[in-house]
Amino acid sequence: MKGMTRLMLRSCNLSGPIPAHISEMTPLQILDLSFNRLEGKVPDFEGLAYLQSLFLTSNLLNGPIPDWIKSRDSRYQIDLSYNNFSESSAPPTCRETLNLFESFSGQNNLTLGRECLQTYPCSKDRYSLHINCGGSATTIGNIEYEGDQNQAGPAKFVPNIASWGFSSSGSFWDVNSTSDQYIANNVSILRMNNSELFTSARLSPLSLTYYARCLANGNYTVKLYFAEIVFRDNKSFYSLGRRIFDVYIQEKLALKNFDVENAAQGVDKVVVREFKAIVRNKVLQIRFHWAGKGTTGAPERGTYGPLISAISVESDFSPPNDDKKIFIIVGAVVSVLLLIFMILGILMWKIYIGGRISREKELRGLDLQTGFFTYRQIKAATDNFDVANKIGEGGFGSVYKGILLDGTIIAVKKLSSKSNQGNREFVNEIGMISALQHPNLVRLYGCCVEGNQLFLVYEYMENNSLARALFGPEEYRLELDWATRQKICIGIARGLAFLHEGSTLRIVHRDIKTTNVLLDTDLSPKISDFGLAKLDEEEKTHISTRVAGTIGYMAPEYALWGYLTYKADVYSFGVVALELVAGKNNMKYRPNEDYVCLLDWAFVLMQKGNLMELVDSKLGSEFNEEAVRMIKVAVLCTNSSPALRPAMSAVVSMLEGRTAVNELITDPSIFGEELRFKAFRHPFDVISEADSLIQSLDST
């Protein structure tokens, strides 16, 4: 077999010395004899001029490390870890791509060669360590997890910082190993708490070992966090694999044949395993070791080796307080200086820094109960916010279409840097909609909070907004027949009825309008944009709040006085229902200069008994009865007095024809010109006149 270019006999239960005649396979590029029981010295393979990768990890090899191996530069991948080489043969430097992890059997059983350890001396004892494996630095509660984003490789020792590092062993079978294979990124939406720890994970095809150095000797609690983010549980190619590996802590077997997906009872689910460990030489070693079981060839890279999402190490004892006396002496000397610096610091904070608290820390500190996406995921999904993917623009910012790695289509709402209310609306929307599930409410998948970047990630609605479908640019308008418009109107009403009466939280949306009603593939409506929503507490008759919303849709009592109840949404719904029937925008349509808006025209036509003039000419005259019913319901909902507006559950019943539409004012002499204009200019004058009218009618 002298023409062999790749010889891979991993985990084949081979024993005895390595055959010297392998040196005659001159074209050989990869030699992998890992995880066997080979013993003796490494033969002289210096003549293999094309050899780029040599993997001999986890055997019984001994003697000195050959000089021809030491002389190879960093272009070669050489893994000699987990053997019994003599310590005297250690290379003069700890080269990253010459992996000697656990190569020496010294008396102290150190996890690296002595020279490698001495390269990073300990300045003081440590009592904890928290690592976000494969991910960026993040804070969960009051615990800071250190980042671990080195791309690693098939044979690499990575000293991340002076106090910890990791070793990666092995290349993935049947593929050309590249650096991006050793970190897995999730391919779907994560809904677990603290999802930042599970958006990525560290992978290795053979052995992955983390070591914590400079730990004070004593007992520790080790927590290992796992989540299967590569496999799927659907019928796709990604659901076929199994990942099985062993876990060692301080070289003692802690988990045998561990299957993450099986232990968590599904993919994208968290499983945490807790162990006790004893540190005697200031080093704690945690090794994840593939034992030759599980999937090896499909579906793709990273499916059979160990995977770890996060590591947490905490001492079971309190740090000593030997420096107490020194602190007392020093404190007496510098207390005055500290006081001065404190005063100056407070002044500097108020003058220069007070308004610049990190948005990211502030928002993450709120423990938002939703899934988290990384900025990198959002950029990839939207093709770096390509203009071609922009599907909308609002007061909050721009909206982009995106596609996740698993094919899920999403809508990404990007916070405008100029939005003064951005943080509040961002948190408010998550707090409101994440607790609600209804067919007529848009679904929130999660959010992204990184630096000054804020994003909300929703389900994608194929037909955009109702506003665009009715009176957007000509090329985007949809031919909505009467049955579809009626379905949309009833769907919006059901969504509002759920917000007001059906959910545990009674919520006032405050900004119901056609641009905030989205349409899916089947043209079913879903209410969106909960940035201005308020809780309607039952023990309070109303909410007094700042006015926020859209002119033309706001109820008069709210627009003038900030008097907010759920009846404000009823009024806004009435305007939207009229726009649905007429196919015209409330504020932009004026039949002539005598009318203020579409709603004003509707009041006049109702007074004249000619409501069919409102109906969109595109619909014809086949649905007169249903159209008149919808118009009457809309006019009833837009009554100037909130007391005379129906609840949304009653609106649904009327629209579906299950109950008759209440007609409170039928005498044209009552609803004259003066009262009509007061409905738009002096709402509370209308309310008092309407109250007097009701009393008069009651007495009659």
Side-chain angles (χ1 to χ4, degrees):
M1 299 190 295
K2 293 183 179 180
M4 182 79 67
T5 59
R6 303 173 69 187
L7 178 58
M8 305 176 73
L9 298 172
R10 178 188 300 169
S11 295
C12 294
N13 203 29
L14 302 177
S15 61
I18 299 175
H21 63 74
I22 290 178
S23 62
E24 299 177 19
M25 300 179 180
T26 52
L28 199 63
Q29 298 174 15
I30 299 176
L31 176 59
D32 189 346
L33 303 177
S34 303
F35 292 90
N36 287 292
R37 291 181 293 134
L38 299 170
E39 56 189 4
K41 298 180 180 180
V42 178
D44 185 358
F45 293 150
E46 188 171 5
L48 298 177
Y50 298 99
L51 187 64
Q52 296 293 318
S53 301
L54 176 64
F55 304 113
L56 302 176
T57 187
S58 291
N59 280 288
L60 303 173
L61 301 173
N62 53 37
I65 297 174
D67 291 335
W68 67 268
I69 289 181
K70 296 180 185 180
S71 64
R72 298 272 171 145
D73 58 34
S74 59
R75 291 174 299 172
Y76 298 86
Q77 296 289 346
I78 301 175
D79 193 335
L80 305 179
S81 58
Y82 300 100
N83 280 287
N84 297 318
F85 294 109
S86 57
E87 187 173 357
S88 60
S89 64
T93 60
C94 297
R95 199 171 74 228
E96 283 192 353
T97 53
L98 175 53
N99 191 14
L100 300 174
F101 198 79
E102 194 68 31
S103 288
F104 311 114
S105 54
Q107 295 180 351
N108 294 328
N109 192 29
L110 299 179
T111 58
L112 289 172
R114 182 176 301 171
E115 292 189 30
C116 294
L117 287 175
Q118 291 175 346
T119 305
Y120 307 98
C122 297
S123 59
K124 62 178 181 179
D125 285 346
R126 291 168 59 95
Y127 299 88
S128 64
L129 177 65
H130 308 280
I131 306 172
N132 184 15
C133 302
S136 58
T138 187
T139 301
I140 305 297
N142 61 350
I143 298 177
E144 294 185 4
Y145 284 80
E146 298 181 37
D148 173 28
Q149 295 182 293
N150 189 291
Q151 294 301 317
K156 197 167 185 180
F157 156 56
V158 181
N160 279 17
I161 56 174
S163 57
W164 69 276
F166 72 87
S167 171
S168 178
S169 296
S171 62
F172 292 95
W173 281 1
D174 300 325
V175 294
N176 292 321
S177 294
T178 57
S179 59
D180 64 346
Q181 295 175 315
Y182 296 85
I183 292 180
N185 294 304
N186 70 296
V187 296
S188 64
I189 299 163
L190 300 181
R191 305 188 185 283
M192 72 279 284
N193 292 332
N194 305 326
S195 59
E196 305 98 310
L197 295 179
F198 305 97
T199 56
S200 57
R202 176 71 63 187
L203 282 171
S204 177
L206 289 182
S207 181
L208 173 65
T209 307
Y210 281 86
Y211 66 94
R213 297 181 53 249
C214 306
L215 292 176
N217 292 335
N219 296 332
Y220 286 78
T221 297
V222 178
K223 291 184 179 179
L224 305 179
Y225 297 80
F226 304 92
E228 181 54 69
I229 60 175
V230 178
F231 292 159
R232 301 295 86 208
D233 57 2
N234 51 28
K235 296 181 180 180
S236 72
F237 191 51
Y238 290 89
S239 65
L240 303 177
R242 292 186 305 141
R243 182 191 310 283
I244 300 175
F245 57 94
D246 298 337
V247 178
Y248 294 84
I249 297 180
Q250 297 296 57
E251 284 305 313
K252 293 182 179 179
L253 182 63
L255 291 174
K256 178 71 173 176
N257 294 334
F258 184 60
D259 184 331
V260 177
E261 182 180 355
N262 184 58
Q265 298 184 348
V267 301
D268 296 338
K269 295 182 179 180
V270 177
V271 58
V272 182
R273 291 290 184 261
E274 183 175 313
F275 307 95
K276 296 296 182 180
I278 301 175
V279 173
R280 292 195 176 94
N281 54 11
K282 297 187 181 294
V283 176
L284 173 64
Q285 177 181 304
I286 304 169
R287 179 156 61 103
F288 308 91
H289 183 88
W290 179 62
K293 300 179 181 179
T295 307
T296 58
E300 65 161 21
R301 68 188 187 192
T303 56
Y304 57 87
L307 171 150
I308 178 67
S309 296
I311 295 174
S312 177
V313 178
E314 291 280 358
S315 65
D316 294 339
F317 54 94
S318 300
N321 199 16
D322 296 336
D323 298 331
K324 184 175 180 181
K325 294 181 180 180
I326 298 176
F327 279 118
I328 293 175
I329 297 172
V330 174
V333 175
V334 302
S335 59
V336 176
L337 292 175
L338 286 176
L339 181 60
I340 294 173
F341 283 126
M342 187 181 298
I343 295 172
L344 290 175
I346 293 172
L347 291 175
M348 288 288 290
W349 178 268
K350 289 184 176 181
I351 296 173
Y352 298 105
I353 310 172
R356 297 168 58 187
I357 298 175
S358 166
R359 173 183 282 179
E360 181 177 358
K361 289 185 178 179
E362 181 181 348
L363 291 174
R364 285 187 180 275
L366 295 176
D367 191 21
L368 303 174
Q369 297 299 308
T370 188
F372 276 92
F373 293 80
T374 64
Y375 182 55
R376 182 178 178 183
Q377 284 177 286
I378 299 296
K379 282 185 65 177
T382 59
D383 197 12
N384 199 19
F385 306 104
D386 193 322
V387 176
N389 289 325
K390 188 173 181 180
I391 57 176
E393 183 80 35
F396 187 96
S398 303
V399 182
Y400 294 85
K401 178 183 177 181
I403 303 178
L404 296 176
L405 290 177
D406 65 347
T408 302
I409 303 178
I410 57 174
V412 179
K413 187 186 287 188
K414 182 179 181 182
L415 172 66
S416 171
S417 59
K418 299 178 182 179
S419 173
N420 294 327
Q421 307 300 329
N423 281 15
R424 179 167 55 203
E425 293 174 9
F426 178 85
V427 174
N428 193 63
E429 179 139 5
I430 292 175
M432 292 292 180
I433 198 169
S434 62
L436 303 173
Q437 294 291 333
H438 189 271
N440 296 115
L441 302 181
V442 72
R443 185 179 178 188
L444 179 70
Y445 286 154
C447 67
C448 172
V449 183
E450 286 191 21
N452 290 326
Q453 303 291 342
L454 295 182
F455 300 91
L456 291 171
V457 181
Y458 297 93
E459 61 177 321
Y460 177 70
M461 305 298 285
E462 290 80 358
N463 285 300
N464 208 276
S465 70
L466 178 59
R468 192 175 84 164
L470 284 175
F471 28 75
E474 196 67 37
E475 65 269 23
Y476 294 123
R477 293 186 189 180
L478 302 178
E479 295 295 331
L480 301 178
D481 58 22
W482 174 251
T484 301
R485 297 193 195 203
Q486 193 173 37
K487 179 180 78 169
I488 292 172
C489 190
I490 292 174
I492 300 170
R494 286 175 176 166
L496 284 173
F498 174 76
L499 291 177
H500 296 170
E501 307 164 48
S503 69
T504 306
L505 305 173
R506 288 169 56 91
I507 294 174
V508 183
H509 186 281
R510 280 210 297 174
D511 201 17
I512 295 297
K513 55 184 178 181
T514 49
T515 53
N516 285 342
V517 175
L518 305 180
L519 303 176
D520 65 12
T521 308
D522 301 322
L523 296 176
S524 297
K526 298 200 178 188
I527 299 170
S528 69
D529 203 338
F530 285 73
L532 300 179
K534 288 280 188 182
L535 291 177
D536 186 8
E537 301 176 34
E538 294 184 5
E539 64 271 14
K540 295 183 179 179
T541 58
H542 70 280
I543 305 169
S544 295
T545 183
R546 66 182 180 89
V547 176
T550 305
I551 295 174
Y553 297 89
M554 284 190 287
E557 75 279 3
Y558 174 53
L560 287 179
W561 304 104
Y563 184 98
L564 180 64
T565 67
Y566 69 92
K567 292 295 184 74
D569 284 348
V570 178
Y571 182 95
S572 303
F573 168 81
V575 177
V576 172
L578 278 178
E579 291 179 323
L580 257 172
V581 176
K584 298 176 177 64
N585 185 287
N586 181 47
M587 293 303 294
K588 294 181 180 179
Y589 179 75
R590 299 177 65 184
N592 58 56
E593 61 185 11
D594 293 331
Y595 299 96
V596 177
C597 59
L598 177 66
L599 180 56
D600 184 24
W601 187 41
F603 281 153
V604 173
L605 292 177
M606 187 171 187
Q607 176 184 339
K608 294 178 179 179
N610 192 17
L611 289 177
M612 287 307 297
E613 276 191 43
L614 267 172
V615 180
D616 193 339
S617 59
K618 299 176 184 177
L619 294 174
S621 57
E622 299 179 41
F623 311 101
N624 292 2
E625 183 179 344
E626 292 94 335
V628 170
R629 182 194 302 130
M630 188 180 294
I631 295 170
K632 287 183 177 180
V633 171
V635 172
L636 186 64
C637 290
T638 54
N639 198 297
S640 296
S641 172
L644 301 182
R645 296 174 208 150
M648 286 309 302
S649 57
V651 170
V652 173
S653 182
M654 286 186 278
L655 289 174
E656 292 177 340
R658 291 185 280 113
T659 57
V661 181
N662 301 323
E663 298 186 48
L664 296 178
I665 301 177
T666 57
D667 187 349
S669 64
I670 295 173
F671 195 75
E673 286 293 313
E674 183 180 357
L675 186 59
R676 176 170 72 87
F677 280 102
K678 283 182 178 179
F680 301 102
R681 297 176 184 168
H682 304 287
F684 276 91
D685 291 341
V686 178
I687 292 173
S688 67
E689 290 186 45
D691 289 338
S692 300
L693 176 62
I694 292 170
Q695 294 176 8
S696 173
L697 290 173
D698 286 343
S699 62
T700 304

